[in-house]
Amino acid sequence: MEQRFVMKCGGSTLAALPASFFEDLRHLQERGVKAVIVHGGGPAISETLGKLGIASEFVNGLRKTSEEVLDVVEMVLAGRINKEIVRRIQQSGAKSLGLSGVDGELIKAQPVANADEIGFVGDVTDVNAEIIEGVMGMGYIPVIAPIGIDAAGQRYNINADTAAGAVASHLGVERMIVVTDVPGIMNGQKQVLPTVTVEEIEAMIASGEIYGGMIPKVRAAIACIHGQVKEVVIVNGDVPGVLSKAVLEGGIGTRIVQA
């Protein structure tokens, strides 16, 4: 059975990763390990909306998305950030192909339940795994921007964590890797916890042991655990050889398991 993994990364995190990260990705590709990358790009979207003078607000952590905001989301995610990641992978000598969920109706979506207050934000209804399989089969690393589309051709802004979890699930991948700028989930003594359950995380958030900017990162990782996905590993992308360690060896970062 060939080894494959789905990696989720924020656009700003990816842009800041050292060349060694992409070399590690190339080494994995050379060893026949197949990677799929799903990326976000919230800060870059906010920055571009600001430059264009388009007002944007968040409702419960999701960006309120009008058609005007959606144009910018697509431009930044499927354009600038997607191609930047593809370029960096190719600079390392690996082969990569950038896609958005619109291409070949890769990510089918429907409006979220509270669409009336949040606009064109989508939930994933289906992922065309055949396209991803085909791209991997040709020897390319697929890099996917989380824009969804419905049968009528309406686009949707999809949370990158949700999209990554759905992609992994439809590919039948059980373990996902979330690349961040932290070494994992830490306890009160600033020690990285090797394994933690979703229930334990909720307790740590309630007790204040997990706080501030770590809460959205951890919640994001938990959001990836659905369908086929059984565990998510949170790792720091700055650590040399981090992907090889996470995929082939384990014992790095924090494994979040269902129970």
Side-chain angles (χ1 to χ4, degrees), residues 156-192:
Y156 295 91
N157 181 6
I158 297 177
N159 178 286
D161 309 298
T162 313
V167 165
S169 191
H170 283 275
L171 280 171
V173 170
E174 294 193 344
R175 182 184 53 190
M176 273 191 59
I177 295 173
V178 175
V179 178
T180 63
D181 53 3
V182 292
I185 297 174
M186 286 176 271
N187 63 14
Q189 288 78 50
K190 294 274 184 280
Q191 292 159 320
V192 174

Side-chain angles (χ1 to χ4, degrees), residues 206-244:
S207 74
E209 201 166 350
I210 293 175
Y211 60 91
M214 197 60 211
I215 295 176
K217 286 175 192 172
V218 175
R219 288 224 188 275
I222 293 175
C224 296
I225 302 180
H226 59 85
Q228 303 269 334
V229 182
K230 301 282 188 293
E231 62 176 66
V232 174
V233 186
I234 295 186
V235 297
N236 182 347
D238 287 333
V239 175
V242 66
L243 283 179
S244 291

Side-chain angles (χ1 to χ4, degrees), residues 88-146:
R88 290 210 61 190
I89 293 172
Q90 289 173 174
Q91 278 169 342
S92 77
K95 290 164 61 171
S96 177
L97 192 68
L99 296 158
S100 85
V102 171
D103 296 301
E105 297 185 335
L106 179 60
I107 298 175
K108 291 208 171 87
Q110 66 186 21
V112 291
N114 61 333
D116 51 339
E117 59 169 335
I118 198 168
F120 296 111
V121 176
D123 279 328
V124 180
T125 56
D126 196 17
V127 173
N128 188 341
E130 274 181 22
I131 295 176
I132 302 172
E133 300 276 5
V135 170
M136 288 196 293
M138 291 184 339
Y140 291 85
I141 296 170
V143 176
I144 301 168

